[in-house]
Amino acid sequence: MTDELTVVTVLYRSAGMLAETLPTWVSSADGLPVRFVFADNWPEDGCAKVIADCLDPDRYLYLPDSSNPGFAAGCNRAVASATTGHVLLLNPDVWLPDDALARIRAAVSADPATPVAVGLAMHGGEYVGIDLNPVSLFIDRSATARRAPLGPSGGAAVFPTDLFRRFEGFYEHLFAWGEDADLALRLYASGVPTRALDLVLPHAGGHSVDGDVRLQGFRAFLLARNRLLVAARTFTWPLLAVALPVLALAHVALAARRVRQGLLRPFLRGVGHGLREGPAARRQWTGKRFGFAALLSYVRVRRA
């Protein structure tokens, strides 16, 4: 069923937001062979009712998990249940114009083997996929960037289902940040490019942590830890030897910002965990890694 598409969404405290966005998804999917899978990491929030009110029972699969295993694990669980040739990973705080899913399916039909980065409008800018950065390692790629994306952003990403599974999906220990960059680096190192789709979707940008100081601290922890883990997992030894001193300087600068935000303690704890867990994280990926050859190839690739 390569012509069909499954929309995969991970939910966490998302009922209010999903009540706004899901009707636009249903409208966009009208008349199309599109199914939905929802991995709900906070089932008590009421998302199940929101979904049932919008979709017929045979149109979706609902997978609750009150243990909250994280975004990466939720995506992997949902993709494992997909029976279609392609999956669209879509955050619950993204609205779909009526023609969005038709345009995404057309892009998939034109080149079924290649992942697609769908654009997101957030924080006052427009972004399509992931880009490399010498300080932060990876960032949201500006829609005006001359380079093609390194890979799709997890907020709006299309993958051939078999490709996603073959590369072991997202690294679940990353939990909720950097898992898309980790996969992008591994895919690119193996010669799998990503196409940018000329479609930008409105994105609220981070609804699940808004207003919760505890979650802000956890996010600061993840930002520090996961950046180090992604480098350890995906870089070749020569590139890692060059990248680590740069990352060290970047973390010193970031520490000053965390002081102003009152988040220095979780940030430093994240750095410590990243350094301690790096070797084990590296051992868990045995495929090709991103090195100087891949880096030079990437910076030379221009947008078609």
PDB file of all heavy atoms in Angstrom, residues 251-272:
ATOM      1  N   HIS A 251      29.173  25.057  25.166  1.00  0.00           N
ATOM      2  CA  HIS A 251      28.472  24.805  26.421  1.00  0.00           C
ATOM      3  C   HIS A 251      28.854  25.826  27.498  1.00  0.00           C
ATOM      4  O   HIS A 251      28.041  26.148  28.367  1.00  0.00           O
ATOM      5  CB  HIS A 251      28.741  23.375  26.900  1.00  0.00           C
ATOM      6  CG  HIS A 251      27.873  22.361  26.228  1.00  0.00           C
ATOM      7  ND1 HIS A 251      28.116  21.900  24.963  1.00  0.00           N
ATOM      8  CD2 HIS A 251      26.735  21.742  26.635  1.00  0.00           C
ATOM      9  CE1 HIS A 251      27.181  21.026  24.621  1.00  0.00           C
ATOM     10  NE2 HIS A 251      26.328  20.909  25.619  1.00  0.00           N
ATOM     11  N   VAL A 252      30.068  26.322  27.439  1.00  0.00           N
ATOM     12  CA  VAL A 252      30.445  27.388  28.373  1.00  0.00           C
ATOM     13  C   VAL A 252      29.591  28.628  28.122  1.00  0.00           C
ATOM     14  O   VAL A 252      29.071  29.258  29.055  1.00  0.00           O
ATOM     15  CB  VAL A 252      31.941  27.720  28.233  1.00  0.00           C
ATOM     16  CG1 VAL A 252      32.280  28.985  29.026  1.00  0.00           C
ATOM     17  CG2 VAL A 252      32.798  26.553  28.714  1.00  0.00           C
ATOM     18  N   ALA A 253      29.429  28.984  26.841  1.00  0.00           N
ATOM     19  CA  ALA A 253      28.595  30.143  26.499  1.00  0.00           C
ATOM     20  C   ALA A 253      27.137  29.889  26.869  1.00  0.00           C
ATOM     21  O   ALA A 253      26.444  30.789  27.377  1.00  0.00           O
ATOM     22  CB  ALA A 253      28.731  30.436  25.008  1.00  0.00           C
ATOM     23  N   LEU A 254      26.658  28.669  26.622  1.00  0.00           N
ATOM     24  CA  LEU A 254      25.270  28.346  26.950  1.00  0.00           C
ATOM     25  C   LEU A 254      25.034  28.361  28.459  1.00  0.00           C
ATOM     26  O   LEU A 254      23.934  28.697  28.918  1.00  0.00           O
ATOM     27  CB  LEU A 254      24.912  26.968  26.381  1.00  0.00           C
ATOM     28  CG  LEU A 254      24.771  26.890  24.854  1.00  0.00           C
ATOM     29  CD1 LEU A 254      24.681  25.444  24.399  1.00  0.00           C
ATOM     30  CD2 LEU A 254      23.542  27.672  24.391  1.00  0.00           C
ATOM     31  N   ALA A 255      26.059  28.027  29.224  1.00  0.00           N
ATOM     32  CA  ALA A 255      25.910  28.027  30.679  1.00  0.00           C
ATOM     33  C   ALA A 255      25.566  29.425  31.188  1.00  0.00           C
ATOM     34  O   ALA A 255      24.757  29.582  32.120  1.00  0.00           O
ATOM     35  CB  ALA A 255      27.185  27.518  31.339  1.00  0.00           C
ATOM     36  N   ALA A 256      26.169  30.454  30.611  1.00  0.00           N
ATOM     37  CA  ALA A 256      25.867  31.826  31.019  1.00  0.00           C
ATOM     38  C   ALA A 256      24.393  32.148  30.777  1.00  0.00           C
ATOM     39  O   ALA A 256      23.738  32.802  31.602  1.00  0.00           O
ATOM     40  CB  ALA A 256      26.766  32.795  30.262  1.00  0.00           C
ATOM     41  N   ARG A 257      23.872  31.671  29.671  1.00  0.00           N
ATOM     42  CA  ARG A 257      22.446  31.902  29.381  1.00  0.00           C
ATOM     43  C   ARG A 257      21.573  31.161  30.383  1.00  0.00           C
ATOM     44  O   ARG A 257      20.556  31.679  30.855  1.00  0.00           O
ATOM     45  CB  ARG A 257      22.125  31.437  27.966  1.00  0.00           C
ATOM     46  CG  ARG A 257      20.671  31.652  27.565  1.00  0.00           C
ATOM     47  CD  ARG A 257      20.361  31.025  26.221  1.00  0.00           C
ATOM     48  NE  ARG A 257      21.217  31.530  25.158  1.00  0.00           N
ATOM     49  CZ  ARG A 257      21.199  31.049  23.914  1.00  0.00           C
ATOM     50  NH1 ARG A 257      20.388  30.059  23.602  1.00  0.00           N
ATOM     51  NH2 ARG A 257      21.995  31.558  23.002  1.00  0.00           N
ATOM     52  N   ARG A 258      21.949  29.937  30.721  1.00  0.00           N
ATOM     53  CA  ARG A 258      21.154  29.162  31.676  1.00  0.00           C
ATOM     54  C   ARG A 258      21.167  29.810  33.062  1.00  0.00           C
ATOM     55  O   ARG A 258      20.194  29.688  33.810  1.00  0.00           O
ATOM     56  CB  ARG A 258      21.689  27.727  31.759  1.00  0.00           C
ATOM     57  CG  ARG A 258      21.568  26.936  30.457  1.00  0.00           C
ATOM     58  CD  ARG A 258      20.168  26.960  29.924  1.00  0.00           C
ATOM     59  NE  ARG A 258      20.041  26.182  28.704  1.00  0.00           N
ATOM     60  CZ  ARG A 258      19.175  26.426  27.741  1.00  0.00           C
ATOM     61  NH1 ARG A 258      18.365  27.474  27.859  1.00  0.00           N
ATOM     62  NH2 ARG A 258      19.107  25.663  26.669  1.00  0.00           N
ATOM     63  N   VAL A 259      22.262  30.474  33.418  1.00  0.00           N
ATOM     64  CA  VAL A 259      22.300  31.196  34.695  1.00  0.00           C
ATOM     65  C   VAL A 259      21.207  32.264  34.712  1.00  0.00           C
ATOM     66  O   VAL A 259      20.465  32.410  35.689  1.00  0.00           O
ATOM     67  CB  VAL A 259      23.688  31.827  34.922  1.00  0.00           C
ATOM     68  CG1 VAL A 259      23.640  32.809  36.093  1.00  0.00           C
ATOM     69  CG2 VAL A 259      24.729  30.754  35.187  1.00  0.00           C
ATOM     70  N   ARG A 260      21.111  33.019  33.636  1.00  0.00           N
ATOM     71  CA  ARG A 260      20.095  34.071  33.551  1.00  0.00           C
ATOM     72  C   ARG A 260      18.676  33.489  33.596  1.00  0.00           C
ATOM     73  O   ARG A 260      17.751  34.138  34.085  1.00  0.00           O
ATOM     74  CB  ARG A 260      20.282  34.891  32.281  1.00  0.00           C
ATOM     75  CG  ARG A 260      21.570  35.697  32.245  1.00  0.00           C
ATOM     76  CD  ARG A 260      21.552  36.724  31.133  1.00  0.00           C
ATOM     77  NE  ARG A 260      21.452  36.110  29.817  1.00  0.00           N
ATOM     78  CZ  ARG A 260      22.490  35.735  29.090  1.00  0.00           C
ATOM     79  NH1 ARG A 260      23.723  35.910  29.557  1.00  0.00           N
ATOM     80  NH2 ARG A 260      22.328  35.204  27.893  1.00  0.00           N
ATOM     81  N   GLN A 261      18.524  32.282  33.080  1.00  0.00           N
ATOM     82  CA  GLN A 261      17.207  31.642  33.045  1.00  0.00           C
ATOM     83  C   GLN A 261      16.887  30.878  34.325  1.00  0.00           C
ATOM     84  O   GLN A 261      15.771  30.372  34.480  1.00  0.00           O
ATOM     85  CB  GLN A 261      17.127  30.681  31.851  1.00  0.00           C
ATOM     86  CG  GLN A 261      17.249  31.362  30.502  1.00  0.00           C
ATOM     87  CD  GLN A 261      17.395  30.350  29.366  1.00  0.00           C
ATOM     88  OE1 GLN A 261      17.878  29.233  29.560  1.00  0.00           O
ATOM     89  NE2 GLN A 261      16.972  30.742  28.176  1.00  0.00           N
ATOM     90  N   GLY A 262      17.857  30.786  35.223  1.00  0.00           N
ATOM     91  CA  GLY A 262      17.656  30.003  36.432  1.00  0.00           C
ATOM     92  C   GLY A 262      17.668  28.509  36.192  1.00  0.00           C
ATOM     93  O   GLY A 262      17.088  27.735  36.971  1.00  0.00           O
ATOM     94  N   LEU A 263      18.352  28.080  35.120  1.00  0.00           N
ATOM     95  CA  LEU A 263      18.348  26.665  34.731  1.00  0.00           C
ATOM     96  C   LEU A 263      19.753  26.083  34.685  1.00  0.00           C
ATOM     97  O   LEU A 263      19.997  25.086  34.001  1.00  0.00           O
ATOM     98  CB  LEU A 263      17.695  26.511  33.345  1.00  0.00           C
ATOM     99  CG  LEU A 263      16.234  26.931  33.237  1.00  0.00           C
ATOM    100  CD1 LEU A 263      15.788  26.938  31.774  1.00  0.00           C
ATOM    101  CD2 LEU A 263      15.343  25.987  34.054  1.00  0.00           C
ATOM    102  N   LEU A 264      20.677  26.684  35.438  1.00  0.00           N
ATOM    103  CA  LEU A 264      22.061  26.207  35.371  1.00  0.00           C
ATOM    104  C   LEU A 264      22.205  24.788  35.911  1.00  0.00           C
ATOM    105  O   LEU A 264      22.924  23.968  35.330  1.00  0.00           O
ATOM    106  CB  LEU A 264      22.977  27.149  36.150  1.00  0.00           C
ATOM    107  CG  LEU A 264      24.469  26.760  36.146  1.00  0.00           C
ATOM    108  CD1 LEU A 264      25.019  26.772  34.724  1.00  0.00           C
ATOM    109  CD2 LEU A 264      25.278  27.692  37.048  1.00  0.00           C
ATOM    110  N   ARG A 265      21.534  24.489  37.002  1.00  0.00           N
ATOM    111  CA  ARG A 265      21.709  23.168  37.614  1.00  0.00           C
ATOM    112  C   ARG A 265      21.288  22.034  36.680  1.00  0.00           C
ATOM    113  O   ARG A 265      22.059  21.094  36.471  1.00  0.00           O
ATOM    114  CB  ARG A 265      20.948  23.087  38.929  1.00  0.00           C
ATOM    115  CG  ARG A 265      21.120  21.747  39.650  1.00  0.00           C
ATOM    116  CD  ARG A 265      20.506  21.776  41.022  1.00  0.00           C
ATOM    117  NE  ARG A 265      21.201  22.715  41.880  1.00  0.00           N
ATOM    118  CZ  ARG A 265      20.860  22.938  43.146  1.00  0.00           C
ATOM    119  NH1 ARG A 265      19.840  22.295  43.689  1.00  0.00           N
ATOM    120  NH2 ARG A 265      21.542  23.809  43.878  1.00  0.00           N
ATOM    121  N   PRO A 266      20.081  22.053  36.086  1.00  0.00           N
ATOM    122  CA  PRO A 266      19.736  20.968  35.162  1.00  0.00           C
ATOM    123  C   PRO A 266      20.625  20.953  33.918  1.00  0.00           C
ATOM    124  O   PRO A 266      20.908  19.890  33.361  1.00  0.00           O
ATOM    125  CB  PRO A 266      18.277  21.244  34.804  1.00  0.00           C
ATOM    126  CG  PRO A 266      18.039  22.666  35.149  1.00  0.00           C
ATOM    127  CD  PRO A 266      18.936  22.958  36.319  1.00  0.00           C
ATOM    128  N   PHE A 267      21.082  22.129  33.487  1.00  0.00           N
ATOM    129  CA  PHE A 267      21.988  22.189  32.339  1.00  0.00           C
ATOM    130  C   PHE A 267      23.300  21.464  32.650  1.00  0.00           C
ATOM    131  O   PHE A 267      23.759  20.633  31.861  1.00  0.00           O
ATOM    132  CB  PHE A 267      22.255  23.647  31.977  1.00  0.00           C
ATOM    133  CG  PHE A 267      23.303  23.832  30.914  1.00  0.00           C
ATOM    134  CD1 PHE A 267      22.994  23.697  29.573  1.00  0.00           C
ATOM    135  CD2 PHE A 267      24.610  24.147  31.262  1.00  0.00           C
ATOM    136  CE1 PHE A 267      23.960  23.864  28.598  1.00  0.00           C
ATOM    137  CE2 PHE A 267      25.584  24.320  30.297  1.00  0.00           C
ATOM    138  CZ  PHE A 267      25.264  24.171  28.949  1.00  0.00           C
ATOM    139  N   LEU A 268      23.898  21.760  33.792  1.00  0.00           N
ATOM    140  CA  LEU A 268      25.161  21.110  34.151  1.00  0.00           C
ATOM    141  C   LEU A 268      24.964  19.610  34.372  1.00  0.00           C
ATOM    142  O   LEU A 268      25.842  18.805  34.039  1.00  0.00           O
ATOM    143  CB  LEU A 268      25.735  21.758  35.405  1.00  0.00           C
ATOM    144  CG  LEU A 268      26.206  23.207  35.246  1.00  0.00           C
ATOM    145  CD1 LEU A 268      26.703  23.754  36.580  1.00  0.00           C
ATOM    146  CD2 LEU A 268      27.290  23.316  34.178  1.00  0.00           C
ATOM    147  N   ARG A 269      23.828  19.255  34.931  1.00  0.00           N
ATOM    148  CA  ARG A 269      23.538  17.832  35.101  1.00  0.00           C
ATOM    149  C   ARG A 269      23.442  17.147  33.742  1.00  0.00           C
ATOM    150  O   ARG A 269      23.914  16.017  33.563  1.00  0.00           O
ATOM    151  CB  ARG A 269      22.227  17.670  35.874  1.00  0.00           C
ATOM    152  CG  ARG A 269      21.932  16.240  36.305  1.00  0.00           C
ATOM    153  CD  ARG A 269      20.869  16.214  37.399  1.00  0.00           C
ATOM    154  NE  ARG A 269      19.671  16.935  37.000  1.00  0.00           N
ATOM    155  CZ  ARG A 269      18.648  16.365  36.357  1.00  0.00           C
ATOM    156  NH1 ARG A 269      18.698  15.074  36.033  1.00  0.00           N
ATOM    157  NH2 ARG A 269      17.594  17.065  36.031  1.00  0.00           N
ATOM    158  N   GLY A 270      22.876  17.839  32.761  1.00  0.00           N
ATOM    159  CA  GLY A 270      22.800  17.285  31.413  1.00  0.00           C
ATOM    160  C   GLY A 270      24.164  17.098  30.781  1.00  0.00           C
ATOM    161  O   GLY A 270      24.428  16.090  30.126  1.00  0.00           O
ATOM    162  N   VAL A 271      25.055  18.074  30.976  1.00  0.00           N
ATOM    163  CA  VAL A 271      26.422  17.942  30.457  1.00  0.00           C
ATOM    164  C   VAL A 271      27.099  16.728  31.072  1.00  0.00           C
ATOM    165  O   VAL A 271      27.732  15.920  30.375  1.00  0.00           O
ATOM    166  CB  VAL A 271      27.229  19.219  30.742  1.00  0.00           C
ATOM    167  CG1 VAL A 271      28.696  19.008  30.374  1.00  0.00           C
ATOM    168  CG2 VAL A 271      26.661  20.400  29.959  1.00  0.00           C
ATOM    169  N   GLY A 272      26.966  16.571  32.389  1.00  0.00           N
ATOM    170  CA  GLY A 272      27.578  15.426  33.058  1.00  0.00           C
ATOM    171  C   GLY A 272      27.046  14.104  32.547  1.00  0.00           C
ATOM    172  O   GLY A 272      27.810  13.172  32.280  1.00  0.00           O
TER     173      GLY A 272
END
